[in-house]
Structures are given as C-alpha cells and as structure tokens.
Amino acid sequence: MLKNFSIFKNKPTDNDKLPTHSISAKIGEEYITIGACWTKEGKGGKFLSCKLQDAWVDSKDRTKTRKGFTITD
C-alpha cells in the first residue's frame, strides 16, 4: 500500500490539455508516475485538480503491472 507520494511540476507547455504536474511514488529506489494534476482557477483562487491512474504499467517492460492505487489516511 502506498502512503507517501510527491507532486512534481512539469515543464511549461502551450497545450492547456496536458497536465501541469505529475504525481509520483517512490517504490524501492525508483519514482513511478501514478497520476497527473492540472492547475485550475476557481472562485477561491488557483488549485490542483488531480487524477490517479487506473493501474501502473512499467514503461520499460509492459508486462509488469500493478492493480491500481489508493489514497490512504
């Protein structure tokens, strides 16, 4: 179970549909991307709208997968 994760700012782009941040978790010595965030503006100011990936797939070996992720308290 993942309890700790980090949110990293992505490089700026002109495409508004691409995420502005990525969500990563450290598994062993490697950071794995588990989701993405978009910077949005609301009545109270700017905020991050985030989405976790449905499941993790190793980018180098697509046969390595994990069932999914949850946010725990």
Side-chain angles (χ1 to χ4, degrees), residues 1-72:
M1 174 181 348
L2 296 175
K3 290 188 178 186
N4 297 310
F5 59 91
S6 300
I7 298 176
F8 296 100
K9 190 169 187 174
N10 294 339
K11 291 181 182 178
T13 178
D14 292 335
N15 188 341
D16 292 340
K17 296 189 182 216
L18 292 178
T20 56
H21 296 74
S22 60
I23 306 170
S24 298
K26 192 170 185 181
I27 299 175
E29 295 299 315
E30 184 178 4
Y31 278 97
I32 304 296
T33 300
I34 62 170
C37 300
W38 292 260
T39 302
K40 298 201 174 183
E41 184 110 19
K43 291 180 182 178
K46 289 186 177 182
F47 65 95
L48 291 177
S49 174
C50 302
K51 180 180 186 310
L52 294 178
Q53 294 176 350
D54 292 331
W56 172 80
V57 178
D58 189 308
S59 60
K60 295 175 187 168
D61 181 355
R62 304 214 34 99
T63 63
K64 292 182 182 176
T65 62
R66 295 186 191 264
K67 289 190 178 185
F69 303 99
T70 59
I71 295 177
T72 61

